[in-house]
Amino acid sequence: MPAWDISPSGVDSVTSLVGLAMDDLAKDVKAYGTDTESAATSAGTISSGYCGDVPVGPIGVALALFVDKSAEDALFPGARAAKSVNGAIEATNHYVHGDLEQAATAQRNAEKAPDMKAILADARKKGADK
């Protein structure tokens, strides 16, 4: 079991700063989606192909495929940061309450990579629900 000397106020300060950075990152990811969608519809069409309800030409289709294939890469940094911040907060709370075994478990769980397949499935479901 690790030996810790945690400053809960320090953890709170750092996680707050990371939270602000995560907010900025979320805005960038949203802009990425909006901008590529705008580019796809602005590229025009040379065929009667459809991607959803909007006619899309080959550039739009290529952009849609690019976004689909790069979605995991675009979402991973935010998911990784969120898991790290939540794990740090959870581990600190256990530490404060004297439960070092639970704190160590929270730390180990936070170190694992986020489940991007589940995150993407959830994001797609939310997008379909709109």
Side-chain angles (χ1 to χ4, degrees):
M1 185 171 306
W4 291 328
D5 183 15
I6 298 174
S7 164
S9 63
V11 172
D12 184 52
S13 176
V14 170
T15 56
S16 293
L17 292 172
V18 173
L20 293 172
M22 289 169 56
D23 290 343
D24 288 343
L25 180 61
K27 290 175 190 171
D28 291 342
V29 170
K30 184 174 182 176
Y32 167 73
T34 303
D35 293 348
T36 53
E37 183 178 333
S38 175
T41 57
S42 298
T45 64
I46 58 171
S47 69
S48 61
Y50 283 83
C51 185
D53 295 333
V54 180
V56 181
I59 294 171
V61 171
L63 283 170
L65 289 171
F66 173 77
V67 167
D68 186 56
K69 298 295 182 189
S70 65
E72 188 171 319
D73 292 335
L75 295 175
F76 183 83
R80 171 75 270 175
K83 190 165 185 188
S84 296
V85 165
N86 291 336
I89 291 168
E90 182 181 353
T92 302
N93 287 337
H94 289 301
Y95 171 84
V96 167
H97 291 100
D99 192 344
L100 300 184
E101 188 174 322
Q102 285 288 49
T105 299
Q107 179 183 4
R108 280 191 302 277
N109 289 337
E111 292 171 351
K112 297 174 186 171
D115 181 356
M116 292 310 297
K117 292 192 185 320
I119 290 169
L120 285 170
D122 186 50
R124 289 182 174 125
K125 183 179 183 308
K126 287 178 182 173
D129 290 344
K130 284 185 178 180

